[in-house]
Amino acid sequence: SKAEAFTPQLFEINGWRVAVFAFAEFVEFESWYATADRAGVASGKDLRAVTRAIRRFDRLVDVVAVSIHWGIERTFVLSSAQTNGAAAMVEAGADVIFGHHPHRVQALRRVDEAPVFYSLGNFVWFHLGGAASDSAVGRVTFRRNGTDRACLLDARITRPGRVVLEDDKHCV
């Protein structure tokens, strides 16, 4: 149901309560979105429902992490839906956002204090060469007083199913 799709997975990690949400702005078929009477994916297009869910759980946990399928395929340019959505999710209480869908590595930026990895590119994907083989891993360190450090670790797909981490030069 839609209520279940907008409920995060909850974890306790080293004494921290963490809520992990997954939203999709783009799906292959609209029927994949959850409705009141059908299981499915939480719609990232429904920003009001997204921010309401984040706000509800922000009060109950130490860290709210969001994974979102968004952005324009094969571009390095951020869409207004990404930047506006990130701002709204952070305002609602998201502590970190991990984006994916463009199949390109996009910017790591802070919105207020929250790191936003707009797109981590491809990870386990076909080895297509060029920008399609570029990938990244988002690494975030939290301290009780807030986010300490966020890094975009460069990675490269060297063959199908094989990703090699390269460096962590892009930190904020």
Side-chain angles (χ1 to χ4, degrees), residues 98-170:
F98 299 96
H100 49 94
H101 174 68
H103 299 278
R104 299 294 183 266
V105 177
Q106 292 180 333
L108 162 60
R109 294 191 181 146
R110 285 193 186 265
V111 175
D112 290 329
E113 289 301 309
V116 179
F117 299 87
Y118 281 97
S119 175
L120 295 172
N122 290 316
F123 196 69
V124 178
W125 196 249
F126 308 105
H127 175 59
L128 302 172
S133 290
D134 292 337
S135 189
V137 172
R139 181 176 65 194
V140 182
T141 304
F142 288 99
R143 300 211 187 277
R144 287 287 174 195
N145 63 351
T147 306
D148 182 49
R149 184 175 164 117
C151 295
L152 193 63
L153 284 69
D154 289 337
R156 186 128 187 94
I157 300 170
T158 58
R159 63 178 192 265
R162 173 90 169 125
V163 177
V164 177
L165 289 177
E166 295 181 343
D167 65 38
D168 65 349
K169 292 180 185 172
H170 314 289

Side-chain angles (χ1 to χ4, degrees), residues 10-63:
L10 300 173
F11 300 93
E12 183 153 335
I13 303 169
N14 296 328
W16 291 64
R17 293 166 308 190
V18 180
V20 179
F21 286 95
F23 303 114
E25 194 174 287
F26 298 103
V27 292
E28 194 163 341
F29 303 104
E30 290 290 315
S31 63
W32 289 4
Y33 287 125
T35 64
D37 57 355
R38 183 183 68 228
V41 206
S43 173
K45 292 179 183 179
D46 189 348
L47 195 53
R48 207 167 128 211
V50 166
T51 56
R52 186 172 44 244
I54 291 169
R55 197 169 282 112
R56 191 174 97 215
F57 279 88
D58 180 45
R59 295 177 224 155
L60 305 174
V61 299
D62 301 304
V63 175

